[in-house]
Amino acid sequence: MVTQCLFNKMFEITKKSKKDKSRLGKISTNHGDFQTPIFMPPGTQATVKAVGPDDLAKIGIEILLVNTLHLSLQPGENLIYDLGGVHSFMGWSRPILSDSGGFQAWSFSKNRTKNGKKMAKIREDGIEFSSPIDGSKHLITPEKSIEIQHKLGVDIIMAFDECTPDNDDREYAKKAMERTHQWAQRSLKKHQELSKVYLEKGKKPPLIFGIIQGGIFEDLRKESAKFITSLDFDGIALGGETIGYNMPRTLEIIDYLQDLLPEDKPRYTMGLGSSAQDIIEVVKRGIDMFDCVAPTRMARHGSLYTEQGNLRISNNCFEKDNNPIDKNCDCYTCQNFSRAYLHHLYSVKESLYLRLATIHNLRFMMNLIQRLRKEI
Ligand SMILES: [Zn+2]
């Protein structure tokens, strides 16, 4: 595609580590630049649960994720488009990445409706699913996914893919990979078609990333990496249930794909980042981007990150503890509130607890990212 050569380089490696494969980089988007390595918090319903855009900016969040399928079902991409796009809809002016909806539709396929029917069916042309809101039937195809993501007006869109489960069904993983490859080509074609409008106006179209599948199988992962990197994507993602969920396997996959991943494109491990150690391990291996629901979800469920490990705020030992969650943390919560106060808010189920806890866990992740960047 001719798009990127018309504009400044979208991805630039600014420094490479001398001791491992980690690298510092910068990605330029229509809503500003952000640095890599980067942790991106998921804002599924066009909101990072319990915190507002002002909180996110203070925490130092540089880019967040929204969910294509959820937003398409409610309030609908057309409404968001008519209201000026997802940035203005949610009051966030920095970069946004949208997932393709493939993971969500796949996760529906594991659930059943009240009638015992599977909530989603994978077809060759896309994924048919029942809405979790009202049971209505929908078909999401690669073209539809790309169209929705363009309408949302995000900065980075993802090719439509089929997520592969973390199991040893090789035949299924191969079929899902082949579908993902076909869908990647169709996604790219649709994206290029929709990008013309931007180019005619002298504007930069969103960036598009392709997704490598192949389950837990080395030959399939390598085949998928070769195929996806041969296409004209702006960035390369590693997808599948295994990534981030099964860390020993994730690291193995990254290691054997190392030589197949182009140096000059950002690398994104999808759904990875439930602990500091997971992030440290993949950054060492040259991964630039990651997202995970764990830091915010764990915060809401009473698990707070500290340098010494997670702290369970419901524990009675915090009832009279006047210390901050983490004495080394510079977040709003740690600067102003004690463990005793958070323990109290959590015990009486006050909504302020959710905000304060989320601020802390996200800031903990961003402080980790800052430290890793400095060490490169
Ligand atoms: Zn804190």
Side-chain angles (χ1 to χ4, degrees), residues 150-173:
H150 267 261
K151 279 201 168 151
L152 294 176
V154 298
D155 305 284
I156 303 178
I157 71 177
M158 301 300 297
F160 190 65
D161 69 320
E162 180 182 342
C163 182
T164 328
D166 183 52
N167 66 30
D168 57 3
D169 186 342
R170 192 178 189 286
E171 203 182 320
Y172 190 85

PDB file of all heavy atoms in Angstrom, residues 150-173:
ATOM      1  N   HIS A 150     -13.333   1.178  11.061  1.00  0.00           N
ATOM      2  CA  HIS A 150     -13.160   2.463  10.373  1.00  0.00           C
ATOM      3  C   HIS A 150     -14.197   3.469  10.858  1.00  0.00           C
ATOM      4  O   HIS A 150     -13.885   4.641  11.058  1.00  0.00           O
ATOM      5  CB  HIS A 150     -13.260   2.275   8.852  1.00  0.00           C
ATOM      6  CG  HIS A 150     -11.934   2.050   8.203  1.00  0.00           C
ATOM      7  ND1 HIS A 150     -11.244   3.044   7.570  1.00  0.00           N
ATOM      8  CD2 HIS A 150     -11.165   0.938   8.118  1.00  0.00           C
ATOM      9  CE1 HIS A 150     -10.103   2.558   7.106  1.00  0.00           C
ATOM     10  NE2 HIS A 150     -10.024   1.274   7.419  1.00  0.00           N
ATOM     11  N   LYS A 151     -15.432   2.994  11.051  1.00  0.00           N
ATOM     12  CA  LYS A 151     -16.485   3.908  11.515  1.00  0.00           C
ATOM     13  C   LYS A 151     -16.215   4.411  12.925  1.00  0.00           C
ATOM     14  O   LYS A 151     -16.525   5.548  13.266  1.00  0.00           O
ATOM     15  CB  LYS A 151     -17.854   3.215  11.456  1.00  0.00           C
ATOM     16  CG  LYS A 151     -18.421   3.241  10.051  1.00  0.00           C
ATOM     17  CD  LYS A 151     -19.910   3.043  10.034  1.00  0.00           C
ATOM     18  CE  LYS A 151     -20.449   3.379   8.642  1.00  0.00           C
ATOM     19  NZ  LYS A 151     -21.652   2.617   8.326  1.00  0.00           N
ATOM     20  N   LEU A 152     -15.635   3.556  13.759  1.00  0.00           N
ATOM     21  CA  LEU A 152     -15.316   3.997  15.129  1.00  0.00           C
ATOM     22  C   LEU A 152     -14.271   5.121  15.081  1.00  0.00           C
ATOM     23  O   LEU A 152     -14.215   5.961  15.964  1.00  0.00           O
ATOM     24  CB  LEU A 152     -14.791   2.826  15.970  1.00  0.00           C
ATOM     25  CG  LEU A 152     -15.789   1.685  16.269  1.00  0.00           C
ATOM     26  CD1 LEU A 152     -15.090   0.553  17.018  1.00  0.00           C
ATOM     27  CD2 LEU A 152     -16.970   2.192  17.086  1.00  0.00           C
ATOM     28  N   GLY A 153     -13.438   5.086  14.048  1.00  0.00           N
ATOM     29  CA  GLY A 153     -12.442   6.153  13.873  1.00  0.00           C
ATOM     30  C   GLY A 153     -11.216   5.983  14.745  1.00  0.00           C
ATOM     31  O   GLY A 153     -10.579   6.969  15.134  1.00  0.00           O
ATOM     32  N   VAL A 154     -10.858   4.719  15.033  1.00  0.00           N
ATOM     33  CA  VAL A 154      -9.686   4.465  15.893  1.00  0.00           C
ATOM     34  C   VAL A 154      -8.391   4.671  15.100  1.00  0.00           C
ATOM     35  O   VAL A 154      -8.418   4.849  13.887  1.00  0.00           O
ATOM     36  CB  VAL A 154      -9.721   3.030  16.473  1.00  0.00           C
ATOM     37  CG1 VAL A 154     -10.942   2.827  17.341  1.00  0.00           C
ATOM     38  CG2 VAL A 154      -9.674   2.002  15.352  1.00  0.00           C
ATOM     39  N   ASP A 155      -7.271   4.602  15.806  1.00  0.00           N
ATOM     40  CA  ASP A 155      -5.963   4.854  15.183  1.00  0.00           C
ATOM     41  C   ASP A 155      -5.295   3.581  14.686  1.00  0.00           C
ATOM     42  O   ASP A 155      -4.543   3.610  13.731  1.00  0.00           O
ATOM     43  CB  ASP A 155      -5.045   5.554  16.194  1.00  0.00           C
ATOM     44  CG  ASP A 155      -5.702   6.815  16.709  1.00  0.00           C
ATOM     45  OD1 ASP A 155      -5.720   7.795  15.959  1.00  0.00           O
ATOM     46  OD2 ASP A 155      -6.259   6.805  17.827  1.00  0.00           O
ATOM     47  N   ILE A 156      -5.538   2.480  15.401  1.00  0.00           N
ATOM     48  CA  ILE A 156      -4.963   1.199  14.978  1.00  0.00           C
ATOM     49  C   ILE A 156      -6.096   0.186  14.919  1.00  0.00           C
ATOM     50  O   ILE A 156      -6.826   0.005  15.906  1.00  0.00           O
ATOM     51  CB  ILE A 156      -3.862   0.703  15.940  1.00  0.00           C
ATOM     52  CG1 ILE A 156      -2.751   1.756  16.062  1.00  0.00           C
ATOM     53  CG2 ILE A 156      -3.294  -0.635  15.475  1.00  0.00           C
ATOM     54  CD1 ILE A 156      -1.634   1.388  17.032  1.00  0.00           C
ATOM     55  N   ILE A 157      -6.255  -0.458  13.757  1.00  0.00           N
ATOM     56  CA  ILE A 157      -7.293  -1.478  13.654  1.00  0.00           C
ATOM     57  C   ILE A 157      -6.637  -2.844  13.479  1.00  0.00           C
ATOM     58  O   ILE A 157      -5.485  -2.945  13.050  1.00  0.00           O
ATOM     59  CB  ILE A 157      -8.289  -1.173  12.510  1.00  0.00           C
ATOM     60  CG1 ILE A 157      -7.659  -1.364  11.133  1.00  0.00           C
ATOM     61  CG2 ILE A 157      -8.834   0.239  12.590  1.00  0.00           C
ATOM     62  CD1 ILE A 157      -8.654  -1.126  10.019  1.00  0.00           C
ATOM     63  N   MET A 158      -7.362  -3.876  13.827  1.00  0.00           N
ATOM     64  CA  MET A 158      -6.829  -5.235  13.749  1.00  0.00           C
ATOM     65  C   MET A 158      -7.548  -6.016  12.656  1.00  0.00           C
ATOM     66  O   MET A 158      -8.766  -5.888  12.493  1.00  0.00           O
ATOM     67  CB  MET A 158      -7.025  -5.971  15.092  1.00  0.00           C
ATOM     68  CG  MET A 158      -6.369  -5.314  16.295  1.00  0.00           C
ATOM     69  SD  MET A 158      -4.571  -5.134  16.202  1.00  0.00           S
ATOM     70  CE  MET A 158      -4.022  -6.836  16.135  1.00  0.00           C
ATOM     71  N   ALA A 159      -6.801  -6.845  11.932  1.00  0.00           N
ATOM     72  CA  ALA A 159      -7.405  -7.735  10.932  1.00  0.00           C
ATOM     73  C   ALA A 159      -8.311  -8.722  11.658  1.00  0.00           C
ATOM     74  O   ALA A 159      -8.045  -9.089  12.809  1.00  0.00           O
ATOM     75  CB  ALA A 159      -6.313  -8.488  10.187  1.00  0.00           C
ATOM     76  N   PHE A 160      -9.379  -9.135  10.999  1.00  0.00           N
ATOM     77  CA  PHE A 160     -10.310 -10.094  11.604  1.00  0.00           C
ATOM     78  C   PHE A 160      -9.645 -11.471  11.616  1.00  0.00           C
ATOM     79  O   PHE A 160      -9.104 -11.916  10.600  1.00  0.00           O
ATOM     80  CB  PHE A 160     -11.601 -10.119  10.777  1.00  0.00           C
ATOM     81  CG  PHE A 160     -12.717 -10.887  11.420  1.00  0.00           C
ATOM     82  CD1 PHE A 160     -13.279 -10.457  12.617  1.00  0.00           C
ATOM     83  CD2 PHE A 160     -13.231 -12.030  10.819  1.00  0.00           C
ATOM     84  CE1 PHE A 160     -14.325 -11.154  13.203  1.00  0.00           C
ATOM     85  CE2 PHE A 160     -14.282 -12.735  11.398  1.00  0.00           C
ATOM     86  CZ  PHE A 160     -14.826 -12.303  12.597  1.00  0.00           C
ATOM     87  N   ASP A 161      -9.674 -12.138  12.764  1.00  0.00           N
ATOM     88  CA  ASP A 161      -9.007 -13.441  12.882  1.00  0.00           C
ATOM     89  C   ASP A 161      -9.869 -14.410  13.664  1.00  0.00           C
ATOM     90  O   ASP A 161     -10.851 -14.022  14.275  1.00  0.00           O
ATOM     91  CB  ASP A 161      -7.658 -13.287  13.604  1.00  0.00           C
ATOM     92  CG  ASP A 161      -7.833 -12.934  15.082  1.00  0.00           C
ATOM     93  OD1 ASP A 161      -8.733 -12.116  15.382  1.00  0.00           O
ATOM     94  OD2 ASP A 161      -7.112 -13.463  15.916  1.00  0.00           O
ATOM     95  N   GLU A 162      -9.475 -15.677  13.612  1.00  0.00           N
ATOM     96  CA  GLU A 162     -10.143 -16.662  14.464  1.00  0.00           C
ATOM     97  C   GLU A 162      -9.173 -17.075  15.547  1.00  0.00           C
ATOM     98  O   GLU A 162      -8.092 -17.601  15.276  1.00  0.00           O
ATOM     99  CB  GLU A 162     -10.569 -17.897  13.649  1.00  0.00           C
ATOM    100  CG  GLU A 162     -11.275 -18.912  14.551  1.00  0.00           C
ATOM    101  CD  GLU A 162     -11.683 -20.194  13.836  1.00  0.00           C
ATOM    102  OE1 GLU A 162     -11.743 -20.212  12.587  1.00  0.00           O
ATOM    103  OE2 GLU A 162     -11.936 -21.184  14.548  1.00  0.00           O
ATOM    104  N   CYS A 163      -9.556 -16.833  16.783  1.00  0.00           N
ATOM    105  CA  CYS A 163      -8.714 -17.180  17.924  1.00  0.00           C
ATOM    106  C   CYS A 163      -8.643 -18.698  18.038  1.00  0.00           C
ATOM    107  O   CYS A 163      -9.642 -19.389  17.870  1.00  0.00           O
ATOM    108  CB  CYS A 163      -9.336 -16.564  19.175  1.00  0.00           C
ATOM    109  SG  CYS A 163      -8.398 -16.859  20.650  1.00  0.00           S
ATOM    110  N   THR A 164      -7.439 -19.235  18.308  1.00  0.00           N
ATOM    111  CA  THR A 164      -7.289 -20.691  18.472  1.00  0.00           C
ATOM    112  C   THR A 164      -7.144 -21.007  19.951  1.00  0.00           C
ATOM    113  O   THR A 164      -6.389 -20.328  20.645  1.00  0.00           O
ATOM    114  CB  THR A 164      -6.009 -21.171  17.746  1.00  0.00           C
ATOM    115  OG1 THR A 164      -5.808 -20.347  16.614  1.00  0.00           O
ATOM    116  CG2 THR A 164      -6.122 -22.606  17.330  1.00  0.00           C
ATOM    117  N   PRO A 165      -7.849 -22.049  20.439  1.00  0.00           N
ATOM    118  CA  PRO A 165      -7.736 -22.380  21.862  1.00  0.00           C
ATOM    119  C   PRO A 165      -6.362 -22.949  22.225  1.00  0.00           C
ATOM    120  O   PRO A 165      -5.623 -23.415  21.350  1.00  0.00           O
ATOM    121  CB  PRO A 165      -8.835 -23.422  22.080  1.00  0.00           C
ATOM    122  CG  PRO A 165      -9.174 -23.954  20.739  1.00  0.00           C
ATOM    123  CD  PRO A 165      -8.816 -22.911  19.727  1.00  0.00           C
ATOM    124  N   ASP A 166      -6.055 -22.902  23.514  1.00  0.00           N
ATOM    125  CA  ASP A 166      -4.776 -23.412  24.011  1.00  0.00           C
ATOM    126  C   ASP A 166      -4.901 -24.926  24.236  1.00  0.00           C
ATOM    127  O   ASP A 166      -4.892 -25.392  25.372  1.00  0.00           O
ATOM    128  CB  ASP A 166      -4.426 -22.688  25.326  1.00  0.00           C
ATOM    129  CG  ASP A 166      -3.072 -23.095  25.870  1.00  0.00           C
ATOM    130  OD1 ASP A 166      -2.091 -23.033  25.119  1.00  0.00           O
ATOM    131  OD2 ASP A 166      -3.009 -23.492  27.056  1.00  0.00           O
ATOM    132  N   ASN A 167      -5.079 -25.702  23.162  1.00  0.00           N
ATOM    133  CA  ASN A 167      -5.124 -27.159  23.321  1.00  0.00           C
ATOM    134  C   ASN A 167      -4.418 -27.824  22.135  1.00  0.00           C
ATOM    135  O   ASN A 167      -3.923 -27.149  21.243  1.00  0.00           O
ATOM    136  CB  ASN A 167      -6.570 -27.659  23.480  1.00  0.00           C
ATOM    137  CG  ASN A 167      -7.400 -27.445  22.228  1.00  0.00           C
ATOM    138  OD1 ASN A 167      -6.882 -27.448  21.111  1.00  0.00           O
ATOM    139  ND2 ASN A 167      -8.685 -27.251  22.401  1.00  0.00           N
ATOM    140  N   ASP A 168      -4.401 -29.172  22.158  1.00  0.00           N
ATOM    141  CA  ASP A 168      -3.564 -29.851  21.167  1.00  0.00           C
ATOM    142  C   ASP A 168      -4.348 -30.409  19.979  1.00  0.00           C
ATOM    143  O   ASP A 168      -3.943 -31.391  19.378  1.00  0.00           O
ATOM    144  CB  ASP A 168      -2.727 -30.933  21.859  1.00  0.00           C
ATOM    145  CG  ASP A 168      -3.613 -31.923  22.602  1.00  0.00           C
ATOM    146  OD1 ASP A 168      -4.855 -31.780  22.525  1.00  0.00           O
ATOM    147  OD2 ASP A 168      -3.066 -32.824  23.257  1.00  0.00           O
ATOM    148  N   ASP A 169      -5.466 -29.787  19.656  1.00  0.00           N
ATOM    149  CA  ASP A 169      -6.226 -30.211  18.479  1.00  0.00           C
ATOM    150  C   ASP A 169      -5.585 -29.587  17.232  1.00  0.00           C
ATOM    151  O   ASP A 169      -5.913 -28.475  16.834  1.00  0.00           O
ATOM    152  CB  ASP A 169      -7.697 -29.778  18.628  1.00  0.00           C
ATOM    153  CG  ASP A 169      -8.571 -30.325  17.505  1.00  0.00           C
ATOM    154  OD1 ASP A 169      -8.010 -30.729  16.472  1.00  0.00           O
ATOM    155  OD2 ASP A 169      -9.800 -30.330  17.677  1.00  0.00           O
ATOM    156  N   ARG A 170      -4.633 -30.333  16.655  1.00  0.00           N
ATOM    157  CA  ARG A 170      -3.843 -29.778  15.556  1.00  0.00           C
ATOM    158  C   ARG A 170      -4.685 -29.493  14.319  1.00  0.00           C
ATOM    159  O   ARG A 170      -4.513 -28.471  13.660  1.00  0.00           O
ATOM    160  CB  ARG A 170      -2.708 -30.754  15.210  1.00  0.00           C
ATOM    161  CG  ARG A 170      -1.674 -30.131  14.299  1.00  0.00           C
ATOM    162  CD  ARG A 170      -0.531 -31.077  14.010  1.00  0.00           C
ATOM    163  NE  ARG A 170       0.516 -30.353  13.314  1.00  0.00           N
ATOM    164  CZ  ARG A 170       0.456 -29.976  12.050  1.00  0.00           C
ATOM    165  NH1 ARG A 170      -0.613 -30.279  11.338  1.00  0.00           N
ATOM    166  NH2 ARG A 170       1.442 -29.301  11.491  1.00  0.00           N
ATOM    167  N   GLU A 171      -5.586 -30.431  14.027  1.00  0.00           N
ATOM    168  CA  GLU A 171      -6.396 -30.293  12.818  1.00  0.00           C
ATOM    169  C   GLU A 171      -7.214 -29.000  12.881  1.00  0.00           C
ATOM    170  O   GLU A 171      -7.304 -28.249  11.912  1.00  0.00           O
ATOM    171  CB  GLU A 171      -7.327 -31.497  12.715  1.00  0.00           C
ATOM    172  CG  GLU A 171      -7.789 -31.774  11.305  1.00  0.00           C
ATOM    173  CD  GLU A 171      -8.749 -32.956  11.275  1.00  0.00           C
ATOM    174  OE1 GLU A 171      -8.502 -33.937  12.017  1.00  0.00           O
ATOM    175  OE2 GLU A 171      -9.736 -32.856  10.554  1.00  0.00           O
ATOM    176  N   TYR A 172      -7.801 -28.757  14.061  1.00  0.00           N
ATOM    177  CA  TYR A 172      -8.611 -27.542  14.218  1.00  0.00           C
ATOM    178  C   TYR A 172      -7.733 -26.283  14.119  1.00  0.00           C
ATOM    179  O   TYR A 172      -8.086 -25.320  13.446  1.00  0.00           O
ATOM    180  CB  TYR A 172      -9.379 -27.546  15.544  1.00  0.00           C
ATOM    181  CG  TYR A 172     -10.371 -26.409  15.559  1.00  0.00           C
ATOM    182  CD1 TYR A 172     -11.630 -26.572  14.998  1.00  0.00           C
ATOM    183  CD2 TYR A 172     -10.008 -25.144  16.039  1.00  0.00           C
ATOM    184  CE1 TYR A 172     -12.520 -25.514  14.919  1.00  0.00           C
ATOM    185  CE2 TYR A 172     -10.889 -24.081  15.964  1.00  0.00           C
ATOM    186  CZ  TYR A 172     -12.143 -24.268  15.410  1.00  0.00           C
ATOM    187  OH  TYR A 172     -13.009 -23.220  15.323  1.00  0.00           O
ATOM    188  N   ALA A 173      -6.570 -26.329  14.787  1.00  0.00           N
ATOM    189  CA  ALA A 173      -5.670 -25.158  14.777  1.00  0.00           C
ATOM    190  C   ALA A 173      -5.257 -24.818  13.344  1.00  0.00           C
ATOM    191  O   ALA A 173      -5.154 -23.647  12.973  1.00  0.00           O
ATOM    192  CB  ALA A 173      -4.440 -25.438  15.634  1.00  0.00           C
TER     193      ALA A 173
END
